[in-house]
Amino acid sequence: MADAKPKTSPKAIKFLFGGLAGLSAGLLRQATYTTTRLGIYTILFEKMTSSDGRPPNFFLKALIGMTAGAIGAFVGTPAEVALIRMTADGRLPAEQRRGYKNVFNALVRITKEEGVTTLWRGCIPTMARAVVVNAAQLASYSQSKQALLDSGYFRDDILCHFCASMISGLVTTAASMPVDIVKTRIQNMKMIDGKPEYKNGLEVLVRVVGKEGFFSLWKGFTPYYARLGPHTVLTFIFLEQMNRLYKTYVLDV
């Protein structure tokens, strides 16, 4: 008797497509938020570099990072809202699912059904997170890179960029996890009896700490860093290479 063909579990199908549900939103978020923040940081960093080539100090780097992060977050919030909703959709009961087809369908439907301002729901905590993340990530990367070069053991190459970005990823993880919890819960909150689930970000923090403890703000630190570390490495390595190519083939021509 022929072997029965293996059947694909409905749960497996749901898991597969649930994981891909927010792909278009994730790509749009990177295309808006990441490019904006890195572009603004690079421009401001070069503006603040002295005529003798000396880079700005750490506090000025942090301020530049905060500025770039806040602007990038504002630009990227609509894609962020769509991303959170699309990835959370599969966990909702069938009657509560929104069923967005892709990020553009999500943006159009949110605008029609809830108003254009809903696209910027949670904008303040998103910008607050971006200020913290970029002050930590961009400033710590620039400072780590400068320290490695000053040590005399590194040259301005991929190895130096790799080490500096891994340090940056560690600092960013510690700084961003608490505000990440606030941002996600506010953007995904529901209306209860006509009122929002949370009044503000401070209430989210108080509830989390009160119910789960202070260190729950860093629950999942290792997997978070395992995700953010490689992301930070690739981001800065590609950024450094693109800057090098731009200076070589555009500015120096």
Side-chain angles (χ1 to χ4, degrees), residues 28 74 93-94 123 147 156 192 201 204-205 212 219 228 235 240:
L28 182 62
F74 182 81
C123 181
D156 192 0
I192 300 176
V204 176
L205 287 176
E212 305 172 39
K219 185 184 294 182
L228 189 62
T235 297
E240 292 281 7

Side-chain angles (χ1 to χ4, degrees), residues 10 34 59 80 126 139 154 164 195 203 232 253:
T34 302
F59 295 104
E80 180 87 10
T126 300
F154 290 86
K195 297 181 179 179
E203 184 181 355
T232 305
V253 173

Side-chain angles (χ1 to χ4, degrees), residues 12-62:
I13 295 175
K14 183 179 178 181
F15 176 80
L16 175 62
F17 286 97
L20 297 175
L23 180 60
S24 60
L27 292 173
L28 182 62
R29 179 183 177 276
Q30 293 299 327
T32 52
Y33 166 65
T34 302
T35 56
T36 300
R37 73 184 180 98
L38 292 180
I40 291 176
Y41 181 80
T42 301
I43 292 171
L44 293 179
F45 188 90
E46 291 178 352
K47 294 287 186 182
M48 296 297 179
T49 300
S50 60
S51 56
D52 60 357
R54 185 174 57 189
N57 60 47
F58 178 77
F59 295 104
L60 193 53
K61 291 172 185 172

Side-chain angles (χ1 to χ4, degrees), residues 166-231:
M166 287 299 289
I167 296 171
S168 173
L170 187 64
V171 173
T172 306
T173 299
S176 67
M177 288 191 72
V179 287
D180 212 20
I181 290 173
V182 172
K183 175 189 70 69
T184 301
R185 295 199 182 190
I186 286 182
Q187 286 187 320
N188 207 34
M189 69 180 176
K190 299 177 182 178
M191 301 297 288
I192 300 176
D193 296 329
K195 297 181 179 179
E197 189 175 359
Y198 302 105
K199 293 179 181 178
N200 50 51
L202 181 60
E203 184 181 355
V204 176
L205 287 176
V206 171
R207 284 197 197 180
V208 171
V209 172
K211 293 180 180 179
E212 305 172 39
F214 178 73
F215 289 102
S216 65
L217 296 175
W218 290 274
K219 185 184 294 182
F221 183 93
T222 302
Y224 194 102
Y225 179 60
R227 177 189 69 83
L228 189 62
H231 177 271

Side-chain angles (χ1 to χ4, degrees), residues 5-127:
K5 294 183 178 179
K7 295 183 179 180
T8 304
S9 166
K11 290 184 178 180
I13 295 175
K14 183 179 178 181
F15 176 80
L16 175 62
F17 286 97
L20 297 175
L23 180 60
S24 60
L27 292 173
L28 182 62
R29 179 183 177 276
Q30 293 299 327
T32 52
Y33 166 65
T34 302
T35 56
T36 300
R37 73 184 180 98
L38 292 180
I40 291 176
Y41 181 80
T42 301
I43 292 171
L44 293 179
F45 188 90
E46 291 178 352
K47 294 287 186 182
M48 296 297 179
T49 300
S50 60
S51 56
D52 60 357
R54 185 174 57 189
N57 60 47
F58 178 77
F59 295 104
L60 193 53
K61 291 172 185 172
L63 181 61
I64 295 171
M66 292 166 67
T67 303
I71 297 173
F74 182 81
V75 173
T77 295
E80 180 87 10
V81 171
L83 174 62
I84 291 174
R85 289 191 176 196
M86 290 173 73
T87 52
D89 215 34
R91 298 190 296 270
L92 296 174
E95 65 276 7
Q96 295 182 18
R97 292 176 190 168
R98 300 177 176 97
Y100 299 133
K101 297 177 182 178
N102 53 58
V103 65
F104 300 108
N105 176 251
L107 295 176
V108 170
R109 282 186 51 191
I110 290 171
T111 302
K112 287 183 177 179
E113 297 169 10
E114 304 174 54
V116 68
T117 55
T118 307
L119 294 175
W120 278 272
R121 175 181 290 175
C123 181
I124 299 302
T126 300
M127 292 175 69

